[in-house]
Amino acid sequence: MQFISVVSVPVGDQDRAKSFYLDKLGFHLIAESTFGDGLRWIQVGIPGAETSLTLVTWFDEMAPGSLRGLVIDCDDLEQEHRTLTERGVVFTSPPSRQPGGVFAVLSDPDGNRISLRQAGS
């Protein structure tokens, strides 16, 4: 094995989710195409990162908004929190010190929870 390449994020509306991840979080679009019977592959990622996200609607067992436990590292969590808040990102918890670093939790439009972390702080 080498690394985790793609994490599936269950969403209800791919266009709304794509807009959130690109416009609010600052991800970039890696790939977008159709396949199968009207299904869409939308892959987004953080510039320079190896791991990316695909915004999925086709897994029945993955309800939109059910993602928990995804952690994205930041160099300066306080600044990232300010920037994203200014862009309209809603945080479910502000930056707080916990085992493993300082964390702040946000939700995407479907309710998927993503933790931002500044390690070693």
Side-chain angles (χ1 to χ4, degrees):
M1 288 185 262
Q2 295 178 322
F3 58 88
I4 296 170
S5 61
V6 179
V7 174
S8 295
V9 177
V11 300
D13 180 323
Q14 287 177 303
D15 289 320
R16 180 181 69 183
K18 176 181 153 186
S19 177
F20 175 81
Y21 284 89
L22 299 182
D23 301 336
K24 303 281 186 185
L25 295 187
F27 284 39
H28 69 276
L29 183 65
I30 295 171
E32 183 170 2
S33 61
T34 58
F35 66 98
D37 188 21
L39 300 174
R40 291 170 62 202
W41 177 269
I42 299 176
Q43 185 177 358
V44 299
I46 298 167
E50 288 188 27
T51 304
S52 61
L53 306 177
T54 185
L55 308 173
V56 302
T57 57
W58 55 84
F59 293 120
D60 292 336
E61 62 277 4
M62 292 176 68
S66 63
L67 178 72
R68 301 290 185 270
L70 183 65
V71 178
I72 300 173
D73 275 2
C74 303
D75 289 328
D76 184 344
L77 182 57
E78 290 290 335
Q79 179 59 48
E80 200 71 49
H81 182 265
R82 278 191 299 277
T83 298
L84 296 179
T85 299
E86 289 170 3
R87 291 184 193 159
V89 174
V90 176
F91 282 82
T92 58
S93 72
S96 64
R97 186 171 310 283
Q98 299 180 28
V102 178
F103 290 82
V105 180
L106 63 92
S107 290
D108 75 5
D110 287 287
N112 293 301
R113 291 196 184 156
I114 300 169
S115 296
L116 301 184
R117 175 182 84 127
Q118 182 175 338
S121 295

